[in-house]
Amino acid sequence: GESVGLHLPTLSVQEGDNSIINCAYSNSASDYFIWYKQESGKGPQFIIDIRSNMDKRQGQRVTVLLNKTVKHLSLQIAATQPGDSAVYFCAENEGMADNFNKFYFGSGTKLNVKP
Amino acid sequence: DTEVTQTPKHLVMGMTNKKSLKCEQHMGHRAMYWYKQKAKKPPELMFVYSYEKLSINESVPSRFSPECPNSSLLNLHLHALQPEDSALYLCASSQDLPGNTDTQYFGPGTRLTVL
């Protein structure tokens, strides 16, 4: 299953399938990106990050792809499980300013995993 | 340990009440953040503290007053709130060494209801 982020805020996939969640970011100067998972009633949980000098990074069952040319970020989840059901946010950072980060969050995509 | 704690978990207050939200981290992070999150929306940045000094106030109304007593603690004092201020209030922290963007870790949030 695949979403287009802002244009399709809900993605439904079958358990065991691969999921792709997309995010378009706005600032070509952004140099650091994070994917967060947020379950109902909880705070955002860090999943994986990527810096602008990379185009791909892999974690456990998750892969983040960065295409700076078209300012696009995607999160791939392999063998999606019911526990992956949540809202997924991408966040972009425009770079350091005065020793802190300022992140901008995408609107989020809700992932529903059907058993 | 990447834990950010927040208290209370839930808070119900009247429009004339004064209350405080608390956030704590023991990761040695020097930047701390307050976000507001409405239902089905991404987190919105309110305040940033860097090295215990207020660095960003995103035009937040004065009925919200942040305080950073030390590098591990962040408070948000609330006074004369409106029902539309009801939301999930998230605290986050990051290492933010000079010249290095870094992951923000979020707490579980305080669910605030203003009657």
Side-chain angles (χ1 to χ4, degrees):
Chain A
E2 183 169 343
S3 83
V4 291
L6 293 175
H7 303 291
L8 188 64
T10 302
L11 174 65
S12 293
V13 299
Q14 206 67 40
E15 181 179 358
D17 286 352
N18 296 334
S19 302
I20 300 174
I21 300 171
N22 296 299
C23 179
Y25 64 93
S26 55
N27 193 334
S28 56
S30 294
D31 63 355
Y32 181 54
F33 305 85
I34 300 177
W35 278 101
Y36 287 97
K37 172 187 179 183
Q38 188 173 25
E39 297 174 275
S40 182
K42 297 185 179 180
Q45 176 190 356
F46 170 86
I47 301 174
I48 193 168
D49 59 358
I50 189 167
R51 298 189 188 274
S52 58
N53 60 353
M54 304 172 70
D55 52 23
K56 181 179 180 179
R57 191 154 190 238
Q58 288 184 290
Q60 188 177 11
R61 281 202 307 119
V62 294
T63 301
V64 56
L65 299 177
L66 175 63
N67 185 331
K68 295 182 285 294
T69 303
V70 295
K71 294 187 285 188
H72 184 267
L73 196 67
S74 69
L75 176 69
Q76 300 177 359
I77 305 174
T80 315
Q81 302 168 358
D84 295 326
S85 294
V87 177
Y88 290 80
F89 291 103
C90 64
E92 61 176 304
N93 176 46
E94 292 185 340
M96 290 294 293
D98 297 330
N99 297 327
F100 60 87
N101 292 315
K102 189 173 179 181
F103 281 94
Y104 295 94
F105 282 77
S107 60
T109 298
K110 184 175 182 180
L111 178 64
N112 287 329
V113 181
K114 296 176 285 187
Chain B
D1 181 14
T2 56
E3 189 177 28
V4 176
T5 59
Q6 290 186 244
T7 55
K9 202 169 182 181
H10 301 276
L11 179 62
V12 179
M13 59 187 291
M15 288 188 284
T16 58
N17 292 158
K18 283 185 181 180
K19 297 286 183 183
S20 296
L21 309 184
K22 297 187 183 300
C23 174
E24 191 166 3
Q25 57 87 15
H26 293 288
M27 296 177 277
H29 290 176
R30 303 315 299 257
M32 296 185 76
Y33 309 77
W34 279 116
Y35 287 84
K36 173 183 177 180
Q37 187 179 26
K38 301 286 273 186
K40 300 182 181 179
K41 295 290 186 182
E44 296 177 7
L45 184 65
M46 300 174 70
F47 301 105
V48 180
Y49 272 83
S50 177
Y51 290 79
E52 300 164 46
K53 292 184 180 173
L54 183 63
S55 298
I56 286 185
N57 176 340
E58 292 282 276
S59 302
V60 179
S62 60
R63 57 185 184 269
F64 294 92
S65 175
E67 179 197 17
C68 190
N70 61 56
S71 59
S72 299
L73 294 173
L74 186 66
N75 298 322
L76 186 63
H77 303 297
L78 313 172
H79 174 53
L81 294 194
Q82 303 296 311
E84 59 265 28
D85 296 322
S86 299
L88 181 68
Y89 288 84
L90 294 162
C91 174
S93 71
S94 59
Q95 180 71 286
D96 290 339
L97 296 173
N100 184 42
T101 54
D102 198 19
T103 305
Q104 282 190 4
Y105 295 96
F106 282 84
T110 294
R111 174 72 60 190
L112 174 68
T113 303
V114 182
L115 301 177

